[in-house]
Amino acid sequence: MLCFLRGMAFVPFLLVTWSSAAFIISYVVAVLSGHVNPFLPYISDTGTTPPESGIFGFMINFSAFLGAATMYTRYKIVEKQNQTSYFSTPVFNLVSLVLGLVGCIGMGIVANFQELAVPVVHDGGALLAFVCGVVYTLLQSIISYKSCPQWNSLSTCHVRLAISAISCAAVVPMIACASLISITKLEWNPKEKDYIYHVVSAICEWTVAFGFIFYFLTFIHDFQVGIYQFIGYKLLTIRVKSMP
């Protein structure tokens, strides 16, 4: 456990554990309260009705904050690595950060505007969160390959790319099937015409959501050593400037 707390590693570690808990706790409370079917509800379905709506809103809001903190820290780590040994244009890193932060704003919208109360706003926030999140992981995977092998191992790059590819493959049918559903509801009957669209979309939604979680899990090692790299770079800069 202590290995996850070295350097800045506690930031992605807390993001992963908190977000996982948010999804699981909201799901369990919603199912036990009889508000959703245990078989493949949408993530948002588990945060629509009280009391789980309060839990979902609070925890996802904090997840959005932790996501933004993780992305900004990652941005600064890559920035310093790139200054030490150039491997990519800084604009690439900046675009990745902006898209990631927009995705976090989308998470906040999802948390604060319930699915049944304001569906258009809620769905817009979800679209921002998922699409920007997937693009963020793709860009970060490219950055990882560009900085390999000095700052990342090849195996880490492969894992990140695999997660990004799965998330990208899942987000397309998720959006397509969700757009074909004619009504927003919590209870589904397998005999209903839109049921298959719901099932496919829900499977893809959970896949993308936990894809994000596993992706941020790969940041833990980078954050363990990133702070020491940053300190070392600062000390080196000070030493060079102080030389006669």
Side-chain angles (χ1 to χ4, degrees), residues 33-138:
S33 300
H35 295 153
V36 297
N37 192 308
F39 181 68
L40 290 175
Y42 283 123
I43 295 173
S44 296
D45 291 351
T46 67
T48 298
T49 309
E52 61 268 19
S53 60
I55 298 171
F56 182 85
F58 168 70
M59 297 192 75
I60 295 301
N61 271 320
F62 192 54
S63 289
F65 168 76
L66 290 173
T70 299
M71 292 171 180
Y72 180 73
T73 306
R74 168 68 178 170
Y75 167 78
K76 296 302 291 184
I77 289 173
V78 171
E79 181 183 58
K80 296 308 175 185
Q81 290 173 343
N82 202 34
Q83 288 175 355
T84 304
S85 57
Y86 183 84
F87 55 82
S88 176
T89 172
V91 176
F92 203 71
N93 190 31
L94 180 61
V95 170
S96 175
L97 172 65
V98 171
L99 286 172
L101 294 180
V102 172
C104 291
I105 293 172
M107 284 181 65
I109 294 173
V110 168
N112 292 290
F113 297 90
Q114 273 72 41
E115 180 182 26
L116 298 181
V118 274
V120 174
V121 178
H122 178 91
D123 292 344
L127 193 64
L128 275 180
F130 283 112
V131 173
C132 290
V134 167
V135 177
Y136 174 82
T137 62
L138 286 171

Side-chain angles (χ1 to χ4, degrees), residues 179-226:
S179 65
L180 294 173
I181 297 174
S182 57
I183 186 171
T184 301
K185 54 189 294 187
L186 300 182
E187 296 289 340
W188 284 91
N189 188 317
K191 296 181 180 179
E192 294 177 290
K193 66 171 185 175
D194 291 340
Y195 180 72
I196 186 63
Y197 297 139
H198 165 74
V199 170
V200 173
S201 183
I203 290 173
C204 292
E205 183 184 57
W206 284 96
T207 300
V208 176
F210 276 94
F212 292 155
I213 288 174
F214 287 122
Y215 195 92
F216 286 120
L217 198 61
T218 69
F219 280 175
I220 288 178
H221 175 71
D222 293 3
F223 280 43
Q224 286 174 337
V225 299

Side-chain angles (χ1 to χ4, degrees), residues 68 107 133 227 235:
M107 284 181 65
I227 188 65
L235 290 175

